[in-house]
Amino acid sequence: MNCERGCAHPVADADALAGAPLAVRLLGEDWVLWRDEAGAPRAAPDRCPHRGARLSLGRVCDGMLECAYHGWRFDGEGRCTRIPALPGFTPPASHGLHRVALVEAHGLLWLQPDGAPPCLPAFEAEHDARLRKLNVGPYDVAASAPRVVENFLDLAHFGFVHEGWLGDRAHVELADYRVEPTPTGFVASGCRAWQPQSNRLSSEGSWVDYRYELTSPYTAVLTKLPEQQGGYRDEIALFVCPVDEEASRVWFRMALTDFDSSDEQIRAFQHTIFTQDQPVLESQRPKRLPLAGGEVHCAADRSSAAYRRFLRERDISFGVLP
Ligand code: FES
Ligand code: FE
């Protein structure tokens, strides 16, 4: 099984899927989402098996997806239950949809094109009641998913791209950090950065210890432990949907100790940071991440080298140049 098709990817906000079908794009293909009679999210290729019309143009009736062209209906299992032109006909299994796994987690819907059950990336902080959770995004970015992930794992850009926020030109030297493999990717630990404004509430600059974990080909988790925050961790998960080879949809799942700020204030802070990254990300050429040659590296790029190695070892082909 192709590795990127055998894991679950975020495709939409869970609350964006209500009473109507929703069209999404993942791995260069069109998919339709809907909710069945019990409210469970369902997904299938966005193409009617009858004459190829887009099913997302249709509607949902009693939890069944109805095609806009000739009104064929499909239940939550993908079975064709009704062909209006032939009321007495029982459609055979071959008239059904190829339903794929779709689950709700972290406020998002996750689609897995091949195999089941869905293989979701870990985010332990989700279950920590001391942390306040909210999502920021989605951002539609004209960059490949691996470029977005690699930027998230990159420490050496803080003093330049995020000057005055996550970094400072006077403190851009990187201490040695460790990279160790895990079953789903790797962990980079011992990362330190001087941050003038490490989060919305910080009033002065501080050293911040970082830990990064790659949790699937296109997801990663950042753990921040500022010196002044005894015992608590802020965790930010990056969830990237590989929409097309050179286009991505990006969410951040925040798990924070900050219960004082409003959702809007937290989103505004994260929005400022990501919109500093976005023009750089969209400027990178080639847009697909080159896995063998074409770019030069230095010792500070250890986590990026580990990421490229991981993608090669897993035979990831979407959004990369082999
Ligand atoms: Fe969908 Fe005919 S194309 S019912
Ligand atoms: Fe950045």
Side-chain angles (χ1 to χ4, degrees):
M1 186 191 302
N2 177 304
C3 186
E4 58 259 33
R5 293 182 64 88
C7 61
H9 303 279
V11 290
D13 287 298
D15 58 13
L17 183 61
L22 183 66
V24 298
R25 197 161 165 84
L26 169 67
L27 293 170
E29 294 171 38
D30 294 312
W31 306 87
V32 60
L33 316 184
W34 79 100
R35 288 194 187 273
D36 69 13
E37 212 165 11
R42 304 292 193 174
D46 194 5
R47 183 183 174 281
C48 182
H50 180 218
R51 287 294 177 266
R54 287 193 73 151
L55 289 163
S56 55
L57 294 175
R59 55 186 180 173
V60 179
C61 309
D62 304 324
M64 282 183 271
L65 183 59
E66 184 185 274
C67 180
Y69 198 179
H70 308 98
W72 288 25
R73 281 191 187 177
F74 305 92
D75 69 11
E77 298 304 318
R79 288 180 293 243
C80 181
T81 56
R82 181 168 176 258
I83 295 179
L86 300 171
F89 178 67
T90 302
S94 59
H95 286 37
L97 305 178
H98 175 65
R99 193 171 68 77
V100 298
L102 182 72
V103 289
E104 202 166 320
H106 314 301
L108 303 175
L109 293 165
W110 296 74
L111 192 156
Q112 180 166 310
D114 290 344
C119 180
L120 285 163
F123 186 41
E124 298 298 326
E126 188 71 51
H127 313 292
D128 188 338
R130 297 169 306 171
L131 298 173
R132 173 242 191 113
K133 324 292 179 327
L134 84 160
N135 286 355
V136 182
Y139 292 94
D140 288 313
V141 186
S144 64
R147 286 284 195 196
V148 178
V149 174
E150 190 179 81
N151 169 68
F152 186 76
L153 300 170
D154 183 277
L155 285 154
H157 74 281
F158 288 176
F160 301 97
V161 175
H162 306 297
E163 189 180 6
W165 295 78
L166 302 185
D168 178 307
R169 277 173 183 258
H171 298 88
V172 289
E173 189 181 336
L174 275 191
D176 250 2
Y177 60 93
R178 290 181 305 283
V179 175
E180 286 150 326
T182 65
T184 62
F186 60 86
V187 169
S189 55
C191 315
R192 280 209 119 192
W194 172 264
Q195 302 205 320
Q197 171 93 42
S198 71
N199 60 45
R200 206 196 76 77
L201 293 182
S202 48
S203 52
E204 55 184 21
S206 62
W207 285 102
V208 181
D209 287 311
Y210 271 76
R211 177 185 186 274
Y212 290 95
E213 181 170 5
L214 185 74
T215 48
S216 86
Y218 309 123
T219 63
V221 175
L222 157 65
T223 304
K224 272 192 194 187
L225 188 55
E227 276 180 345
Q228 71 272 19
Q229 266 177 256
Y232 283 78
R233 285 165 178 250
D234 281 1
E235 304 218 7
I236 302 175
L238 170 78
F239 295 144
V240 185
C241 175
V243 172
D244 280 301
E245 295 268 12
E246 299 181 358
S248 308
R249 179 164 276 205
V250 176
W251 283 269
F252 297 95
R253 177 71 166 167
M254 320 286 289
L256 309 174
T257 45
D258 175 3
F259 281 85
D260 299 327
S261 305
S262 67
D263 288 1
E264 290 68 34
Q265 288 169 319
I266 289 173
R267 290 198 173 103
F269 181 86
Q270 190 64 17
H271 180 80
T272 299
I273 301 299
F274 188 65
T275 50
Q276 292 168 340
D277 286 307
Q278 191 168 356
V280 178
L281 272 172
E282 295 186 338
S283 79
Q284 287 180 284
R285 298 291 184 278
K287 284 187 165 289
R288 299 178 202 194
L289 192 72
L291 296 189
E295 293 183 350
V296 293
H297 313 285
C298 68
D301 301 321
R302 206 168 296 133
S303 60
S304 137
Y307 180 50
R308 294 180 187 210
R309 195 162 51 241
F310 168 85
L311 295 177
R312 273 197 305 272
E313 287 168 1
R314 297 295 168 105
D315 283 331
I316 296 296
S317 60
F318 201 81
V320 303
L321 289 175

